[in-house]
Amino acid sequence: QVQLVESGGGLVQAGGSLRLSCAASGLTFSSYAMGWFRQAPGKEREFVAAISWSGSSTYYVDSVKGRFTISRDNAKNTVFLQMNSLKPEDTAVYYCAATRRGDYDSDQNYDYWGQGTQVTVSS
């Protein structure tokens, strides 16, 4: 079965950094674009970043541009999200997801999801 497992979340002070990882199994990893979404309490799940199947294209929500970097290592079936200059508003559960389709910013287009990892940024 398909499994996406996130790691690297935790508690960090504002201005700090975290690096999230998502290890995939049970699928042909290089055939999928990968994305990161997040959901804060009382809010809808929102798109954060995505990367194409080859890694040649990346996409970010405006609020994280210049601070977050998505990357992938197809040889290791892993996608990463490097988060720098973290802000309290970045606090959320972060989810890794995989899609065979375009429209990377729409969670409706993703086929598989991880369990999520908590990121908490203190003031």
Side-chain angles (χ1 to χ4, degrees), residues 34-81:
M34 302 296 297
W36 288 95
F37 291 76
R38 65 188 181 187
Q39 187 168 26
K43 296 185 178 180
E44 295 183 346
R45 184 163 56 191
E46 68 170 344
F47 168 78
V48 177
I51 187 166
S52 62
W53 66 270
S54 66
S56 62
S57 300
T58 58
Y59 309 87
Y60 301 93
V61 67
D62 287 345
S63 61
V64 309
K65 288 180 179 177
R67 300 189 297 121
F68 291 10
T69 302
I70 188 171
S71 61
R72 67 190 295 162
D73 186 342
N74 286 353
K76 297 182 178 180
N77 289 358
T78 304
V79 63
F80 305 94
L81 185 67

Side-chain angles (χ1 to χ4, degrees), residues 6-35:
E6 301 97 333
S7 61
L11 175 65
V12 65
Q13 289 187 319
S17 298
L18 286 173
R19 182 177 173 87
L20 305 184
S21 299
C22 173
S25 61
L27 53 73
T28 303
F29 185 72
S30 61
S31 296
Y32 287 81
M34 302 296 297

Side-chain angles (χ1 to χ4, degrees), residues 39 60 100 102 108 119 121:
Q39 187 168 26
Y60 301 93
R100 289 181 173 270
Q108 296 180 345
V119 172
V121 184

